[in-house]
Amino acid sequence: NAGVIQTPRHKVTGKGQEATLWCEPISGHSAVFWYRQTIVQGLEFLTYFRNQAPIDDSGMPKERFSAQMPNQSHSTLKIQSTQPQDSAVYLCASSHPGQGPGQLYFGEGSKLTVL
Amino acid sequence: QQKVQQSPESLSVPEGGMASLNCTSSDRNFQYFWWYRQHSGEGPKALMSIFSDGDKKEGRFTAHLNKASLHVSLHIRDSQPSDSALYFCAASELASSSFSKLVFGQGTSLSVVP
């Protein structure tokens, strides 16, 4: 079975440009999470969806960041007017209710570099 | 302030040795604890969970939880070079939902030297 698929694996943008990151969760998983990983901040929670509905976006920067889950097979994270401090690895994870709270299956991440 | 703190930041053990990693939470709402492992270039992978006081053993890995002190530890016996990775402690506060966000510690970098 395929795991969580994230595209692109690497993205380089110029300051002020837009970046869109895609995530395909494991088939049958009904929760999708987004995290951001940097050396300084570690793994930071951004947002999560359950059955495509947004449940908790408490980690999302209020400006420039948005996430959507238009259908059960993919989610997107969009960053408008990217800034150098947005450079990070963005990780998507999915989860199935039968596997207990906290069992997340992560993709390999999308590394965003903002010049 | 980090709600989940790990120590040490890095650890080097000889092949075949025992690695011990520690984690402390400052939030008493956290009920569930996980250990995740991340190899370079990959996403984190769940190693094991622990929800009850005491020890939980899975193969070479043993987790210990003390809910009174909110301290969790992971012990890896007979460490192998393939165990070299970044280890994260993670905590969740929701007790009744099947889904919950995880709060991660800063990680411990483990190096197993042949």
Side-chain angles (χ1 to χ4, degrees):
Chain A
N1 286 332
V4 174
I5 298 171
Q6 291 190 248
T7 54
R9 289 296 313 279
H10 302 273
K11 186 170 182 67
V12 179
T13 65
K15 183 178 174 180
Q17 293 183 328
E18 183 178 287
T20 301
L21 309 175
W22 283 267
C23 170
E24 181 180 330
I26 294 171
S27 177
H29 283 196
S30 46
V32 170
F33 299 77
W34 285 96
Y35 282 81
R36 175 170 64 180
Q37 184 173 23
T38 61
I39 298 292
V40 174
Q41 298 294 332
L43 271 164
E44 298 175 280
F45 168 79
L46 294 176
T47 186
Y48 95 91
F49 299 84
R50 186 169 68 225
N51 294 324
Q52 299 173 233
I55 301 299
D56 182 348
D57 66 353
S58 59
M60 290 279 272
K62 296 308 176 191
E63 298 177 358
R64 302 187 297 106
F65 282 65
S66 63
Q68 293 184 331
M69 190 160 184
N71 57 60
Q72 64 184 11
S73 62
H74 91 274
S75 175
T76 58
L77 180 68
K78 183 182 292 185
I79 309 170
Q80 295 177 310
S81 185
T82 54
Q83 304 297 310
Q85 61 264 30
D86 298 331
S87 296
V89 176
Y90 290 83
L91 289 159
C92 176
S94 67
S95 182
H96 185 281
Q99 290 170 325
Q103 173 114 37
L104 304 183
Y105 293 81
F106 283 89
E108 294 186 320
S110 293
K111 184 176 182 180
L112 176 66
T113 302
V114 182
L115 302 176
Chain B
Q1 180 187 0
Q2 284 282 343
K3 288 188 173 183
V4 178
Q5 295 183 307
Q6 292 185 241
S7 65
E9 283 189 20
S10 63
L11 179 64
S12 182
V13 299
E15 183 175 356
M18 172 78 84
S20 294
L21 291 69
N22 296 293
C23 172
T24 303
S25 170
S26 60
D27 190 334
R28 291 211 162 270
N29 289 321
F30 286 149
Q31 297 288 317
Y32 299 96
F33 294 88
W34 285 85
W35 286 98
Y36 276 73
R37 179 166 75 178
Q38 184 179 30
H39 286 107
S40 181
E42 299 179 2
K45 288 184 174 62
L47 264 181
M48 62 189 301
S49 62
I50 185 163
F51 304 154
S52 303
D53 274 321
D55 291 337
K56 181 179 181 181
K57 185 178 178 181
E58 292 186 4
R60 296 185 294 112
F61 299 86
T62 299
H64 177 81
L65 171 60
N66 181 325
K67 280 196 172 182
S69 60
L70 292 180
H71 180 260
V72 189
S73 59
L74 178 69
H75 305 278
I76 307 171
R77 66 171 176 82
D78 190 24
S79 297
Q80 301 298 307
S82 57
D83 294 328
S84 297
L86 194 53
Y87 287 77
F88 290 101
C89 173
S92 165
E93 62 180 69
L94 290 178
S96 60
S97 170
S98 296
F99 300 104
S100 48
K101 71 183 185 190
L102 288 176
V103 176
F104 285 83
Q106 287 289 87
T108 293
S109 179
L110 173 65
S111 176
V112 180
V113 182

